[in-house]
Amino acid sequence: MTIQWFPGHMAKARRQVTEKLKFIDIVYELVDARIPLASRNPMIDEIITNKPRLVLLNKADMADPKITKEWINFYKSNGIQALAIDSQTGTGLKQIITSSRDILKEKFDKMAAKGIKPRAIRALIVGIPNVGKSTLINRLAKKNIAQTGDRPGVTKAQQWIKVGKDLELLDTPGILWPKFEDQLVGQKLAATGAIKDTILNLQDIAVYVLNFLKEEYPERLKDRYNIEELPEEIVPLFDEIGKRRGCMVAGGYIDYDKTSELILRELRSQKLGPISFEEPKQFEENESNE
Ligand code: G4P
């Protein structure tokens, strides 16, 4: 799905999420484990204000496990619980309920002390497009999409999905926009496939990816493309990869579009292994420079 975000759309998206906050106990903020910062909404803290939150680092199967652990610790040191999950296979999803109970313990204990009957935790999933919201909902839902329209304060149109007996999810997630005015954020979103290739220049994205891999994962590049010594400059590196993979045009020249496409396809289909584009360390450095 390609969404064009105009100021009107943003205001509407925000309003829709704000409306739903009334019905729920906790927000599940879904981000891409490979780019936890670039894949979050820049105004999320303002939008969900003081609702308890659980951060779900989705697509953890595609991220560098060591860096994902660092992110979880980073969130923890900022007082936020985060979990690594893979919504496609269901890995890590069981922990969602346990962590939610933990986060909401005080609220539910207070309710119990007032004599209010225990009930399931009510949650809303929010995240930018393509982060995996529908995949997660479908995984959690199995076949339990239940209409429970007669709950006080909940309109008939609001559908809840039962996840076991302890959790209920609003069936439509909150869709929020990324920080797309930032070029680097755009490149990261494009590299991971969150935004369509037609929006950004393919070669620009591939240049970003190659520069990044050259710095952070040089051995993976060497192994994948059979290159003994990585060239310093980016164009000779493109040439090497293009030549080795037969991405050529008449006259023996490299077809840079085809080479770019190949690199991105192989990155997204994990031919280069699990890769994370953001580390908490960089984030902390940026913060202290600002
Ligand atoms: P959205 O509702 O937030 O917009 O995202 P959606 O669930 O449609 O997921 C976007 C893409 O991400 C889908 O791939 C989906 O299969 C994939 N995805 C979601 N969660 C995970 C995960 O934990 N791990 C991995 N590896 N992929 C995940 P697609 O390209 O649209 O389709 P396809 O690749 O499944 O054919």
Side-chain angles (χ1 to χ4, degrees):
M1 176 173 38
T2 309
I3 298 179
Q4 297 276 354
W5 290 104
F6 302 112
H9 284 128
M10 293 190 198
K12 189 172 172 208
R14 181 179 182 154
R15 210 163 45 237
Q16 283 173 341
V17 169
T18 308
E19 269 295 300
K20 288 178 176 159
L21 290 179
K22 291 195 281 247
F23 305 128
I24 54 123
D25 303 303
I26 186 166
V27 172
Y28 296 154
E29 183 192 350
L30 204 56
V31 294
D32 186 318
R34 297 166 292 177
I35 46 169
L37 298 174
S39 63
R40 78 195 294 257
N41 174 275
M43 292 168 78
I44 190 88
D45 294 338
E46 249 178 73
I47 295 172
I48 67 175
T49 55
N50 51 5
K51 273 282 164 191
R53 173 187 344 186
L54 174 63
V55 171
L56 300 174
L57 299 158
N58 193 38
K59 309 193 187 185
D61 53 307
M62 300 174 93
D64 192 323
K66 187 176 143 269
I67 297 176
T68 302
K69 272 201 196 112
E70 289 173 14
W71 276 112
I72 290 173
N73 290 335
F74 167 81
Y75 280 109
K76 198 170 167 189
S77 63
N78 285 288
I80 295 172
Q81 280 206 41
L83 298 174
I85 62 166
D86 169 355
S87 298
Q88 247 175 9
T89 61
T91 307
L93 300 196
K94 275 207 184 108
Q95 187 60 34
I96 293 178
I97 296 183
T98 319
S99 294
S100 305
R101 263 203 225 106
D102 187 30
I103 295 168
L104 293 167
K105 190 174 180 320
E106 212 174 304
K107 175 176 177 176
F108 278 68
D109 281 353
K110 270 190 193 152
M111 280 162 55
K114 283 189 200 154
I116 299 170
K117 224 172 98 208
R119 60 161 173 80
I121 290 169
R122 295 171 193 156
L124 169 70
I125 293 174
V126 303
I128 66 166
N130 282 319
V131 75
K133 297 179 296 299
S134 322
T135 311
L136 175 61
I137 291 176
N138 289 334
R139 253 286 147 183
L140 288 172
K142 295 186 190 117
K143 290 196 178 62
N144 291 323
I145 300 181
Q147 183 130 29
T148 53
D150 59 357
R151 177 166 303 136
V154 178
T155 59
K156 292 258 185 241
Q158 209 70 252
Q159 288 233 24
W160 294 86
I161 294 166
K162 279 186 188 297
V163 184
K165 59 178 177 20
D166 293 332
L167 178 65
E168 288 178 6
L169 278 181
L170 274 178
D171 74 328
T172 44
I175 306 172
L176 293 169
W177 61 97
K179 190 176 172 182
F180 49 74
E181 65 273 20
D182 181 318
Q183 198 196 351
L184 182 59
V185 168
Q187 284 168 339
K188 289 173 182 173
L189 290 170
T192 53
I195 52 181
K196 297 277 170 275
D197 287 341
T198 46
I199 295 175
L200 294 181
N201 180 294
L202 205 63
Q203 290 182 25
D204 285 349
I205 310 164
V207 166
Y208 161 72
V209 167
L210 279 190
N211 272 322
F212 178 81
L213 294 177
K214 207 156 70 69
E215 278 304 309
E216 303 294 333
Y217 296 92
E219 295 308 316
R220 306 254 190 108
L221 263 187
K222 286 185 194 169
D223 287 352
R224 180 72 198 162
Y225 300 110
N226 253 321
I227 303 172
E228 241 166 63
E229 208 49 60
L230 294 177
E232 277 290 312
E233 300 292 323
I234 205 72
V235 175
L237 181 55
F238 254 99
D239 291 348
E240 283 280 332
I241 297 173
K243 229 184 297 170
R244 276 160 207 276
R245 290 308 182 82
C247 304
M248 315 287 283
V249 282
Y253 295 105
I254 303 295
D255 184 335
Y256 290 110
D257 270 342
K258 213 166 158 192
T259 311
S260 300
E261 240 174 67
L262 174 115
I263 294 163
L264 294 176
R265 193 173 57 243
E266 298 208 335
L267 171 81
R268 292 172 189 158
S269 58
Q270 290 216 265
K271 298 284 190 308
L272 289 139
I275 282 168
S276 293
F277 287 92
E278 289 178 333
E279 290 179 69
K281 167 168 103 212
Q282 294 154 347
F283 174 69
E284 283 154 1
E285 280 161 13
N286 280 354
E287 286 282 283
S288 58
N289 289 340
E290 272 172 14

